Amino acid sequence: MNTALSQSGANSASPVLSMTQGRDMAPASSKNTAVGVQKRRKQKGINGPLITTIGLIVIIIIWDLSVRFLHVPKYILPSPESVAYALWSGLAVSVTNPVGFYVPLWSTFSNAAIGFFFGTAAGLVLGSLMAESRTVEKLVMPYAFALQSLPKVAIAPLVVIWLGFGDGSKIAIAALLAFFPILINSFTGLRSTEPERIDLMKSLSASAFETYRLVKLPNAAPYIFAGLDMAVVYALLGTIVAEFLGAQQGMGVVITQAQAVTDVAGVFAALIILGAMGIGLHALVHGAEKRIVHWTERNKN
């Protein structure tokens, strides 16, 4: 069955016309084209971080000049120097020191990661069931949209009341926010499988699970990773929201405590760390996507 699929995929992906054109092209021209594409990609890879760094430097310079010449009080907008000092004060301590950023950062990260895992697993399973069964789709879809339309800030206090101020409430809210993007994206990706490919599997007497594993799931993989990209950020946001409402540890607690003593520089430092964490999690998901679904146009671009 796999051999037949490979032959069919090869035939559809490589028509006779393209093979003929491939023979007519000169080898030197093909090499030059490939080198040119590789060079353009390399230049694009260099320019991206360079442009981002230049933009950051310009923002910091404008920020510093505005604070200095407009005499903005530090309890409204601290200088970049004050924020850098607050950031260094929180990072230049032992990793086990609860006064620094490491302990609350680990608490936020671990709870967000656990919530992300459970939320995405539930979304993938339910999205697959909805794609396979119209009955499950009609049963679940209205409630899923109703749940998604509710403001999570309004639901979060109930979750805290039910599960307490510990890690359970933070994990539950993170999972709740990570659930919907995976549910919709996996459902859309699985349903977008070409009918001809499903008919081919039926002609090969493939079971429903083999069709799901060999055809539908690879087809839905780019959609699922797009959902994971959103879900990982939502899981982090859900954890922070739960920490704002009441927790013993976490970056949300750090921000709340800094606000209480009007330490605006400390708030900025915590926000910078959360932003860096978000960028790191996005890069992690994107790196996994490039390795697993490397054939998609999104990764090629």
Side-chain angles (χ1 to χ4, degrees), residues 193-204:
T193 307
E194 297 170 357
E196 293 81 4
R197 302 176 71 186
I198 297 176
D199 292 339
L200 175 62
M201 294 298 290
K202 288 180 180 176
S203 69
L204 296 172

Side-chain angles (χ1 to χ4, degrees), residues 55-127:
L56 179 62
I57 293 173
V58 170
I59 291 173
I60 292 175
I61 292 173
I62 294 173
W63 176 6
D64 188 59
L65 293 176
S66 302
V67 171
R68 288 178 186 275
F69 290 101
L70 298 178
H71 305 290
V72 181
K74 65 179 181 180
Y75 59 84
I76 294 178
L77 182 63
S79 65
E81 184 180 356
S82 301
V83 174
Y85 179 76
L87 190 61
W88 175 251
S89 300
L91 294 176
V93 298
S94 170
V95 294
T96 57
N97 190 342
V99 178
F101 286 135
Y102 296 108
V103 174
L105 187 62
W106 171 249
S107 176
T108 300
F109 173 77
S110 57
N111 288 317
I114 296 172
F116 172 77
F117 173 77
F118 283 111
T120 54
L124 180 60
V125 170
L126 202 54

Side-chain angles (χ1 to χ4, degrees), residues 222-244:
Y223 294 85
I224 294 172
F225 270 98
L228 289 174
D229 213 357
M230 291 188 290
V232 70
V233 177
Y234 286 173
L236 182 60
L237 288 176
T239 307
I240 298 295
V241 168
E243 290 172 351
F244 280 150

Side-chain angles (χ1 to χ4, degrees), residues 232-295:
V232 70
V233 177
Y234 286 173
L236 182 60
L237 288 176
T239 307
I240 298 295
V241 168
E243 290 172 351
F244 280 150
L245 295 173
Q248 298 174 345
Q249 278 188 347
M251 294 304 293
V253 177
V254 172
I255 293 174
T256 305
Q257 292 175 345
Q259 285 178 329
V261 296
T262 328
D263 182 13
V264 183
V267 174
F268 269 79
L271 293 176
I272 289 172
I273 290 175
L274 289 176
M277 183 190 288
I279 293 172
L281 292 174
H282 163 73
L284 196 64
V285 173
H286 191 59
E289 181 184 5
K290 289 179 71 174
R291 281 187 172 273
I292 297 173
V293 288
H294 50 82
W295 64 87

